[in-house]
Amino acid sequence: MNTKVVRIKEEEKTREALEKNPGLLEAAEILRNGGLVAFPTETVYGLGANALNEEAAKKIYAAKGRPSDNPLIAHISCMEELPAIVKEIPEAGRKLAEKYWPGPLTMIFPKKDIVPYGTTGGLDTVAVRMPVDPVANCLIHLAGVPIAAPSANTSGRPSPTKAEHVIEDMNGKIEMIIDGGAVGIGVESTIVDVSSEIPTLLRPGAITIEMLRETLGQVDIDPVILGPVSGDIKPKAPGMKYRHYAPKADMTLVEGDMDKVVAYINDQTKKAEAEGKKVGIICTEESRDMYQGGNLEVIGSREHEETVAHNLFAVLRDFDARKVDCIFSESFSKDQLGQAIMNRLCKAAGYHIVNV
Ligand code: TXA
Ligand code: MG
């Protein structure tokens, strides 16, 4: 298949211009006809298909090499599109929608029959998100159907935050890629189950647990977010059980006081390089000058954690391209946006964490 790449520049992103953009109109047509289109959102690039068409959803699983029990998020463009796909909108869902939609928040609702099990991985619930990114929002509006869209990466690889990442993974496998430049946030949406009595956080993201609790009061946290999944704990978001976001090299996450972390990584790097290994180090603006060897990637600044989220997946992909044998990474605090950052880094490291 020949994959068409359509570039949309910053100055073309007004709603008025987007609604007439020939590339976006063609993309909407492809989606309506059951094809696949990758597009930017504020979190990561998505791989879209008509969420109400089981055959189209199947194509997503094939293109990504994704296990078919891992359900997809249905994306809508405005509140009026929600009642068509969900049975009820619980109070918690209404409150969060008011505060955080459109935005980087996904909510789990009981699904209506119109949503096929092919989209929900056999579940009676459906995950719904309303992106704020102007390209994503307008594309969904133009398609006129809810759009199922997982992250547009090959299953298991780091999520794509630039069109180049999508091209790497999806070229030749899908009809079209819309290149809207680098995404803003860089980690996937927060997922909250509002179908249960007490709302539960299933995946941390830019809408933090602190923000959710401020709006809702009590919010539980699915234990899988905090540590590795043991045999008997089943994550409520099926996707959280897979080894995700993983770079090709073995990765070690190092926790502890800054000085000790740097000393440990310097020491390990020296040893690995003596064995002829190529070592990658994930450091920060604050620590970049403290390393003596290795291949550095600056993930961002500790003073602006949103820069760390923004660069996280690109750094992991860059190390894949640089073909390092092992990666050592600094760690971050686990509150606010740090919870999402550490969740992704822990998973990338396969929970290989050293405390120094
Ligand atoms: O930011 C995002 O959410 C991006 C962009 C493209 O919108 N999408 C995304 O989709 O991250 P994906 O497929 O990579 O992750 C969806 C997650 C998976 O962990 C999946 O198991 C969970 O959502 N999920 C989907 N439907 C669910 C349901 N009905 N119940 C529980 N978890 C669900
Ligand atoms: Mg994903």
Side-chain angles (χ1 to χ4, degrees), residues 39-47 60 64 66 69-75 103-109 119-121 123-129 131 148-153 159 187-191 193 195 202-203 235-242 244-245 344 347:
F39 58 95
T41 83
E42 66 273 26
T43 56
V44 299
Y45 271 77
L47 176 57
I60 288 184
K64 280 181 63 86
R66 175 175 174 129
D69 70 337
N70 191 359
L72 306 172
I73 297 174
H75 294 66
L105 174 71
T106 297
M107 290 189 271
I108 312 290
F109 296 96
T119 297
T120 68
L123 299 173
D124 288 316
T125 53
V126 59
V128 187
R129 173 158 115 77
S151 47
N153 52 292
S159 293
V187 292
E188 303 86 345
S189 62
T190 303
I191 305 181
D193 187 354
S195 72
L202 307 188
R203 181 174 73 183
K236 294 199 183 77
M240 296 295 279
K241 74 173 172 274
Y242 298 104
H244 247 81
Y245 321 119
R344 306 310 190 276
K347 292 184 84 171

Coordinates of all heavy atoms in Angstrom, one line a residue, residues 39-47 60 64 66 69-75 103-109 119-121 123-129 131 148-153 159 187-191 193 195 202-203 235-242 244-245 344 347, ligand 1:
F39 N -3.1 10.5 12.7 CA -3.2 12.0 12.8 C -2.7 12.4 14.2 O -2.6 11.7 15.1 CB -4.7 12.3 12.7 CG -5.6 11.7 13.7 CD1 -6.0 12.3 14.9 CD2 -6.1 10.4 13.4 CE1 -6.8 11.7 15.8 CE2 -7.0 9.8 14.4 CZ -7.3 10.4 15.6
P40 N -2.3 13.7 14.2 CA -1.7 14.2 15.5 C -2.9 14.5 16.5 O -4.0 14.8 16.1 CB -1.1 15.6 15.1 CG -1.9 16.0 13.9 CD -2.3 14.7 13.2
T41 N -2.6 14.3 17.8 CA -3.5 14.8 18.8 C -2.6 15.5 19.8 O -1.4 15.6 19.6 CB -4.2 13.6 19.6 OG1 -3.3 13.1 20.6 CG2 -4.7 12.5 18.7
E42 N -3.1 16.1 20.9 CA -2.3 16.9 21.8 C -1.4 15.9 22.7 O -0.4 16.4 23.3 CB -3.1 17.7 22.7 CG -4.1 17.0 23.7 CD -5.4 16.7 23.1 OE1 -5.5 16.5 21.8 OE2 -6.4 16.5 23.8
T43 N -1.7 14.6 22.7 CA -1.0 13.7 23.5 C 0.1 13.0 22.7 O 1.3 13.2 22.9 CB -1.9 12.6 24.2 OG1 -2.6 12.0 23.1 CG2 -2.8 13.3 25.2
V44 N -0.3 12.1 21.8 CA 0.6 11.4 20.9 C -0.2 11.2 19.6 O -1.4 11.5 19.5 CB 0.9 9.9 21.5 CG1 1.6 10.0 22.8 CG2 -0.3 9.1 21.6
Y45 N 0.5 10.8 18.5 CA -0.2 10.5 17.3 C -1.1 9.3 17.4 O -0.8 8.3 18.1 CB 0.8 10.3 16.1 CG 1.2 11.5 15.4 CD1 2.2 12.4 16.0 CD2 0.7 11.9 14.2 CE1 2.5 13.6 15.4 CE2 1.0 13.0 13.5 CZ 2.0 13.9 14.1 OH 2.3 15.1 13.5
G46 N -2.3 9.4 16.8 CA -3.3 8.3 16.8 C -3.4 7.6 15.5 O -3.1 8.2 14.5
L47 N -3.8 6.3 15.5 CA -4.0 5.6 14.3 C -5.5 5.4 14.2 O -6.1 4.5 14.9 CB -3.3 4.3 14.3 CG -3.5 3.3 13.1 CD1 -3.2 4.0 11.8 CD2 -2.7 2.0 13.3
I60 N -6.8 -1.9 12.3 CA -5.9 -1.3 13.3 C -5.0 -2.3 14.0 O -3.8 -2.2 14.1 CB -6.7 -0.5 14.3 CG1 -7.3 0.8 13.7 CG2 -5.8 -0.1 15.5 CD1 -8.0 1.7 14.7
K64 N -0.9 -2.5 13.6 CA 0.0 -2.3 14.8 C 0.6 -3.6 15.3 O 1.5 -3.6 16.1 CB -0.9 -1.7 16.0 CG -1.1 -0.3 15.9 CD -2.0 0.2 17.1 CE -1.3 0.0 18.4 NZ -0.4 1.1 18.9
R66 N -1.2 -5.6 17.2 CA -1.7 -5.4 18.6 C -2.6 -6.6 18.9 O -3.4 -7.0 18.1 CB -2.5 -4.1 18.7 CG -3.1 -3.8 20.0 CD -3.7 -2.4 19.9 NE -4.6 -2.1 21.0 CZ -4.4 -0.9 21.6 NH1 -3.4 -0.1 21.3 NH2 -5.2 -0.6 22.6
D69 N -7.4 -8.4 22.3 CA -8.1 -8.2 23.5 C -7.8 -6.8 24.1 O -8.3 -6.4 25.2 CB -7.8 -9.3 24.6 CG -6.4 -9.1 25.1 OD1 -5.5 -8.5 24.5 OD2 -6.2 -9.7 26.3
N70 N -7.0 -6.0 23.5 CA -6.6 -4.7 24.0 C -7.5 -3.6 23.3 O -7.4 -3.3 22.2 CB -5.2 -4.4 23.7 CG -4.6 -3.2 24.4 OD1 -5.4 -2.5 25.2 ND2 -3.4 -2.9 24.2
P71 N -8.5 -3.1 24.1 CA -9.6 -2.3 23.5 C -9.0 -0.9 23.0 O -8.0 -0.4 23.4 CB -10.6 -2.1 24.6 CG -9.8 -2.3 25.9 CD -8.7 -3.3 25.5
L72 N -9.8 -0.3 22.1 CA -9.5 1.0 21.5 C -10.2 2.1 22.1 O -11.3 1.9 22.6 CB -9.8 0.9 20.0 CG -9.1 -0.3 19.2 CD1 -9.7 -0.3 17.8 CD2 -7.6 -0.2 19.2
I73 N -9.7 3.3 22.1 CA -10.4 4.5 22.5 C -11.2 5.1 21.4 O -10.7 5.3 20.3 CB -9.4 5.6 23.1 CG1 -8.6 5.0 24.3 CG2 -10.1 6.9 23.4 CD1 -7.5 5.9 24.7
A74 N -12.5 5.4 21.6 CA -13.3 6.0 20.6 C -13.2 7.6 20.8 O -13.4 8.1 21.9 CB -14.8 5.6 20.7
H75 N -12.8 8.3 19.8 CA -12.6 9.7 19.8 C -13.8 10.5 19.2 O -14.3 10.1 18.1 CB -11.3 10.1 19.1 CG -10.1 9.6 19.7 ND1 -9.8 8.2 19.8 CD2 -9.0 10.2 20.4 CE1 -8.6 8.1 20.4 NE2 -8.1 9.3 20.8
G103 N -9.7 17.6 25.7 CA -8.4 17.5 26.4 C -7.9 16.1 26.5 O -8.5 15.2 26.1
P104 N -6.8 16.0 27.2 CA -6.0 14.7 27.3 C -6.6 13.8 28.4 O -5.9 13.3 29.2 CB -4.6 15.2 27.7 CG -4.8 16.4 28.5 CD -6.0 17.1 27.9
L105 N -7.9 13.6 28.3 CA -8.6 12.7 29.3 C -9.5 11.7 28.6 O -10.3 12.1 27.8 CB -9.4 13.6 30.3 CG -10.3 12.8 31.2 CD1 -9.5 12.1 32.3 CD2 -11.4 13.7 31.9
T106 N -9.4 10.5 28.9 CA -10.2 9.4 28.4 C -11.1 8.9 29.5 O -10.6 8.7 30.7 CB -9.4 8.3 27.8 OG1 -8.6 8.8 26.7 CG2 -10.2 7.1 27.4
M107 N -12.4 8.7 29.3 CA -13.2 8.1 30.3 C -13.9 6.8 29.8 O -14.2 6.7 28.6 CB -14.3 9.1 30.7 CG -13.7 10.3 31.5 SD -15.0 11.3 32.2 CE -15.2 12.5 30.9
I108 N -14.1 5.9 30.8 CA -14.7 4.6 30.5 C -16.2 4.6 30.8 O -16.5 4.9 32.0 CB -14.0 3.4 31.3 CG1 -12.5 3.5 31.2 CG2 -14.6 2.1 30.8 CD1 -11.9 3.2 29.9
F109 N -17.1 4.4 29.9 CA -18.5 4.4 30.1 C -19.1 3.0 29.7 O -18.5 2.3 28.9 CB -19.2 5.4 29.1 CG -18.7 6.9 29.4 CD1 -17.7 7.5 28.7 CD2 -19.4 7.6 30.3 CE1 -17.4 8.8 28.9 CE2 -19.0 9.0 30.6 CZ -18.0 9.5 29.8
T119 N -14.2 -3.2 18.6 CA -13.6 -1.9 19.1 C -13.3 -2.0 20.5 O -12.2 -1.5 21.0 CB -14.6 -0.7 18.8 OG1 -14.8 -0.6 17.4 CG2 -14.0 0.6 19.3
T120 N -14.1 -2.6 21.3 CA -13.9 -2.6 22.8 C -13.2 -3.9 23.3 O -13.1 -4.1 24.5 CB -15.3 -2.5 23.5 OG1 -16.0 -3.7 23.3 CG2 -16.1 -1.3 23.1
G121 N -12.7 -4.7 22.4 CA -11.9 -5.9 22.8 C -12.8 -6.8 23.6 O -12.4 -7.5 24.6
L123 N -15.3 -6.0 25.6 CA -15.9 -5.4 26.8 C -17.2 -4.8 26.6 O -17.5 -4.3 25.5 CB -14.9 -4.4 27.4 CG -13.5 -4.9 27.8 CD1 -12.6 -3.7 28.2 CD2 -13.6 -5.9 28.9
D124 N -18.0 -4.6 27.7 CA -19.3 -3.9 27.6 C -19.1 -2.4 27.9 O -20.1 -1.7 28.0 CB -20.3 -4.5 28.6 CG -20.7 -5.9 28.2 OD1 -21.0 -6.0 26.9 OD2 -20.7 -6.9 29.0
T125 N -17.9 -2.0 28.1 CA -17.6 -0.6 28.3 C -16.9 -0.1 27.1 O -16.3 -0.8 26.3 CB -16.8 -0.4 29.5 OG1 -15.6 -1.2 29.4 CG2 -17.5 -0.7 30.8
V126 N -16.9 1.3 26.9 CA -16.2 1.9 25.8 C -15.4 3.1 26.4 O -15.9 3.8 27.2 CB -17.1 2.3 24.7 CG1 -18.1 3.3 25.1 CG2 -16.2 2.9 23.5
A127 N -14.1 3.2 26.0 CA -13.3 4.3 26.4 C -13.5 5.5 25.4 O -13.6 5.2 24.2 CB -11.8 3.9 26.3
V128 N -13.8 6.7 25.9 CA -14.1 7.8 25.0 C -13.2 9.0 25.4 O -12.9 9.3 26.5 CB -15.6 8.3 25.2 CG1 -15.9 9.4 24.1 CG2 -16.5 7.1 25.0
R129 N -12.7 9.6 24.3 CA -11.9 10.8 24.5 C -12.2 11.9 23.5 O -12.6 11.6 22.3 CB -10.4 10.5 24.3 CG -9.4 11.7 24.4 CD -8.0 11.3 24.7 NE -7.0 11.5 23.7 CZ -6.5 12.6 23.4 NH1 -6.9 13.7 24.0 NH2 -5.6 12.7 22.4
P131 N -10.4 14.9 21.8 CA -9.1 15.7 21.7 C -9.3 17.1 21.5 O -10.3 17.5 20.8 CB -8.4 15.0 20.6 CG -9.3 14.1 19.9 CD -10.6 14.0 20.7
A148 N -12.0 5.4 16.3 CA -11.1 4.5 17.2 C -9.7 4.8 16.9 O -9.3 4.8 15.7 CB -11.4 3.0 16.9
A149 N -8.9 5.2 17.9 CA -7.5 5.5 17.7 C -6.6 5.1 18.8 O -6.6 5.8 19.8 CB -7.4 7.0 17.3
P150 N -5.8 4.1 18.6 CA -4.7 3.8 19.6 C -3.6 4.7 19.2 O -3.6 5.3 18.1 CB -4.4 2.3 19.4 CG -4.8 2.1 17.9 CD -5.9 3.0 17.6
S151 N -2.5 4.7 19.9 CA -1.3 5.4 19.5 C -0.8 4.7 18.2 O -0.9 3.5 18.1 CB -0.3 5.3 20.6 OG -0.2 4.0 21.1
A152 N -0.2 5.5 17.3 CA 0.1 5.1 16.0 C 1.5 4.4 15.9 O 2.2 4.6 14.9 CB -0.1 6.2 15.0
N153 N 1.8 3.7 16.9 CA 3.1 3.0 16.9 C 2.9 1.5 16.6 O 1.8 1.0 16.9 CB 3.8 3.1 18.2 CG 2.9 2.8 19.4 OD1 1.9 3.5 19.6 ND2 3.2 1.7 20.0
S159 N 5.4 5.3 21.9 CA 4.4 6.0 21.2 C 5.0 7.1 20.3 O 6.0 7.7 20.7 CB 3.4 6.6 22.2 OG 2.7 5.5 22.8
V187 N 2.8 12.4 26.4 CA 2.4 11.1 26.9 C 0.9 10.9 26.7 O 0.2 11.9 26.6 CB 2.8 10.9 28.4 CG1 4.3 10.8 28.7 CG2 2.1 12.1 29.3
E188 N 0.5 9.7 26.7 CA -0.9 9.4 26.3 C -1.9 10.0 27.4 O -1.5 10.2 28.5 CB -1.2 7.9 26.2 CG -0.3 7.2 25.2 CD 1.0 6.8 25.7 OE1 1.4 7.2 26.8 OE2 1.7 5.9 25.1
S189 N -3.2 10.0 27.0 CA -4.2 10.6 27.9 C -4.3 9.9 29.2 O -4.1 8.7 29.3 CB -5.5 10.6 27.1 OG -5.9 9.3 26.9
T190 N -4.8 10.6 30.2 CA -5.2 10.0 31.5 C -6.4 9.2 31.2 O -7.3 9.6 30.5 CB -5.6 11.1 32.4 OG1 -4.4 12.0 32.6 CG2 -6.0 10.6 33.8
I191 N -6.5 8.0 31.8 CA -7.7 7.2 31.6 C -8.4 7.0 33.0 O -7.7 6.6 34.0 CB -7.5 5.8 31.1 CG1 -6.7 5.9 29.7 CG2 -8.8 5.0 30.9 CD1 -6.4 4.5 29.1
D193 N -11.9 5.4 34.9 CA -13.1 4.6 34.8 C -14.2 5.3 35.6 O -14.1 5.4 36.8 CB -12.9 3.2 35.3 CG -14.1 2.3 35.0 OD1 -15.1 2.8 34.6 OD2 -14.0 1.1 35.3
S195 N -17.4 4.3 35.1 CA -18.5 3.4 35.1 C -18.6 2.7 36.4 O -19.7 2.0 36.7 CB -18.4 2.4 34.0 OG -17.4 1.5 34.2
L202 N -7.0 4.6 35.7 CA -6.4 3.4 35.1 C -5.1 3.7 34.4 O -4.3 2.7 34.2 CB -7.4 2.8 34.1 CG -8.8 2.5 34.5 CD1 -9.5 1.8 33.4 CD2 -8.8 1.7 35.8
R203 N -4.8 4.9 34.0 CA -3.5 5.2 33.3 C -3.3 6.7 33.6 O -4.1 7.6 33.3 CB -3.6 5.0 31.8 CG -2.3 5.3 31.1 CD -2.3 5.0 29.6 NE -3.1 5.9 28.8 CZ -3.4 5.8 27.5 NH1 -2.9 4.7 26.9 NH2 -4.1 6.6 26.9
P235 N -5.0 -5.8 35.4 CA -5.2 -4.4 35.2 C -6.6 -4.1 34.6 O -7.0 -4.9 33.8 CB -4.1 -3.9 34.3 CG -3.7 -5.2 33.6 CD -3.9 -6.3 34.5
K236 N -7.2 -3.0 35.0 CA -8.6 -2.8 34.4 C -8.5 -2.2 33.0 O -9.4 -2.3 32.3 CB -9.3 -1.8 35.4 CG -9.6 -2.5 36.7 CD -10.8 -1.7 37.5 CE -11.0 -2.4 38.8 NZ -10.0 -1.9 39.8
A237 N -7.4 -1.5 32.7 CA -7.1 -1.2 31.3 C -6.3 -2.3 30.7 O -5.1 -2.4 31.0 CB -6.4 0.2 31.2
P238 N -6.8 -3.2 29.9 CA -6.1 -4.3 29.4 C -4.7 -4.0 28.9 O -3.7 -4.7 29.0 CB -7.0 -4.9 28.4 CG -8.3 -4.5 28.7 CD -8.2 -3.1 29.4
G239 N -4.6 -2.8 28.2 CA -3.3 -2.4 27.6 C -2.2 -2.2 28.6 O -1.0 -2.3 28.2
M240 N -2.5 -2.0 29.9 CA -1.5 -1.7 30.8 C -0.7 -2.9 31.2 O 0.3 -2.8 31.9 CB -2.1 -1.1 32.1 CG -2.7 0.3 31.9 SD -1.6 1.6 31.4 CE -0.9 2.1 33.0
K241 N -1.2 -4.1 30.8 CA -0.4 -5.3 31.1 C 0.7 -5.6 30.2 O 1.6 -6.4 30.5 CB -1.3 -6.5 31.3 CG -1.9 -7.1 30.0 CD -2.6 -8.4 30.2 CE -3.3 -8.9 29.0 NZ -4.7 -8.4 28.8
Y242 N 0.7 -5.0 29.0 CA 1.7 -5.3 28.0 C 3.0 -4.6 28.3 O 3.0 -3.4 28.8 CB 1.3 -5.1 26.6 CG 0.1 -5.9 26.3 CD1 -1.2 -5.4 26.2 CD2 0.2 -7.3 26.0 CE1 -2.3 -6.2 26.0 CE2 -0.9 -8.1 25.7 CZ -2.1 -7.5 25.7 OH -3.2 -8.3 25.4
H244 N 5.3 -2.1 27.4 CA 5.0 -1.0 26.5 C 6.2 -0.1 26.3 O 7.1 -0.2 27.1 CB 4.0 -0.2 27.2 CG 2.6 -0.2 26.6 ND1 1.8 -1.2 26.8 CD2 2.0 0.6 25.7 CE1 0.6 -1.0 26.1 NE2 0.8 0.2 25.5
Y245 N 6.1 0.8 25.4 CA 7.0 1.9 25.4 C 8.4 1.5 25.4 O 9.3 2.3 25.8 CB 6.7 2.9 26.6 CG 5.3 3.0 27.0 CD1 4.9 2.6 28.3 CD2 4.4 3.6 26.1 CE1 3.5 2.8 28.6 CE2 3.0 3.7 26.5 CZ 2.6 3.3 27.8 OH 1.3 3.5 28.1
R344 N 5.6 5.6 32.6 CA 6.1 5.2 31.3 C 7.6 4.8 31.4 O 8.0 3.8 30.7 CB 6.0 6.4 30.3 CG 4.7 7.0 30.1 CD 3.6 6.1 29.8 NE 2.3 6.8 29.4 CZ 1.4 7.3 30.2 NH1 1.6 7.2 31.6 NH2 0.3 7.8 29.8
K347 N 7.8 1.2 32.8 CA 7.4 0.2 31.9 C 8.5 0.1 30.8 O 8.8 -1.1 30.4 CB 6.1 0.6 31.3 CG 5.0 0.5 32.3 CD 3.6 0.7 31.7 CE 3.1 -0.6 31.1 NZ 1.7 -0.4 30.7
Ligands
TXA1 O1 -3.7 9.8 24.3 C1 -4.3 8.8 24.0 O2 -5.2 8.3 24.7 C2 -3.9 8.2 22.6 C3 -4.4 9.2 21.5 C4 -4.2 8.7 20.1 O3 -5.7 9.6 21.8 N1 -4.5 6.9 22.4 C5 -4.0 5.9 23.1 O4 -4.6 4.7 22.8 O5 -3.1 5.9 24.0 P1 -4.0 3.2 23.2 O6 -4.8 2.3 22.4 O7 -2.5 3.2 22.9 O8 -4.3 3.0 24.7 C6 -5.6 2.8 25.1 C7 -5.7 2.3 26.5 C8 -5.2 0.8 26.6 O9 -4.4 0.7 27.7 C9 -6.5 0.1 26.7 O10 -6.4 -1.1 27.4 C10 -7.4 1.1 27.5 O11 -7.0 2.3 26.9 N2 -8.8 0.9 27.3 C11 -9.5 1.1 26.1 N3 -10.8 0.8 26.3 C12 -11.0 0.4 27.6 C13 -12.1 -0.1 28.4 N4 -13.3 -0.2 27.8 N5 -11.8 -0.4 29.6 C14 -10.6 -0.3 30.2 N6 -9.5 0.2 29.5 C15 -9.7 0.5 28.2

